C-alpha cells in the first residue's frame, strides 16, 4: 500500500483555534426556591429581601412569576460583606417588618 492510497480518517476534531462562530452563552434563570438554595438562605428570607429592595436583582417573568439570573445571584453574594466573626460588624440587613393594619 502506498501513501497516496491510504484511507484518510473520516472524522476530524476541530482545532481549538478554529474561528467558527460559537453560540452565545445561555443565561440561566432560577426560581425563587432555586435562588434561595443557591445563596444558602430560606425562600421566605429571599422574598423579604426582594420586597425591601435589599436582595439580588430579579426578573419579572410574568404577572405571577419571579426569576433570578445565576450571574446576578453570584454578583449579589460577592457584594455582601465577608467577616471572620459575628462581632466584626452589626448585621446590616433589616428585613421588612410584617404589615400590621392600623386600628381605625
Amino acid at each position: 500500500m502506498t501513501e497516496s492510497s491510504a484511507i484518510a480518517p473520516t472524522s476530524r476534531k476541530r482545532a481549538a483555534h478554529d474561528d467558527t462562530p460559537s453560540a452565545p452563552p445561555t443565561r440561566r434563570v432560577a426560581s425563587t426556591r432555586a435562588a434561595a438554595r443557591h445563596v444558602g438562605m430560606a425562600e421566605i428570607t429571599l422574598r423579604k429581601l426582594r420586597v425591601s429592595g435589599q436582595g439580588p436583582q430579579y426578573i419579572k417573568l410574568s404577572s405571577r412569576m419571579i426569576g433570578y439570573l445565576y450571574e446576578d445571584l453570584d454578583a449579589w453574594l460577592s457584594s455582601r460583606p465577608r467577616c471572620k466573626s459575628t462581632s466584626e460588624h452589626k448585621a446590616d440587613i433589616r428585613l421588612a417588618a410584617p404589615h400590621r393594619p392600623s386600628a381605625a
Side-chain angles (χ1 to χ4, degrees), residues 11-35:
S11 64
R12 294 184 185 192
K13 293 184 178 179
R14 287 186 183 206
H17 61 278
D18 195 359
D19 291 332
T20 57
S22 60
T26 58
R27 298 178 78 183
R28 294 184 32 207
V29 178
S31 65
T32 301
R33 177 175 291 162

Side-chain angles (χ1 to χ4, degrees), residues 22-83:
S22 60
T26 58
R27 298 178 78 183
R28 294 184 32 207
V29 178
S31 65
T32 301
R33 177 175 291 162
R37 202 174 316 124
H38 184 75
V39 298
M41 62 178 53
E43 192 175 342
I44 190 68
T45 304
L46 185 59
R47 285 182 176 157
K48 288 179 180 180
L49 288 171
R50 182 179 68 231
V51 169
S52 69
Q54 297 177 347
Q57 291 182 336
Y58 63 93
I59 300 170
K60 186 119 175 155
L61 298 171
S62 71
S63 62
R64 300 178 69 186
M65 192 171 192
I66 297 293
Y68 295 88
L69 292 175
Y70 280 98
E71 61 195 51
D72 290 340
L73 294 171
D74 292 335
W76 181 76
L77 280 175
S78 295
S79 73
R80 306 303 303 154
R82 297 180 77 184
C83 305

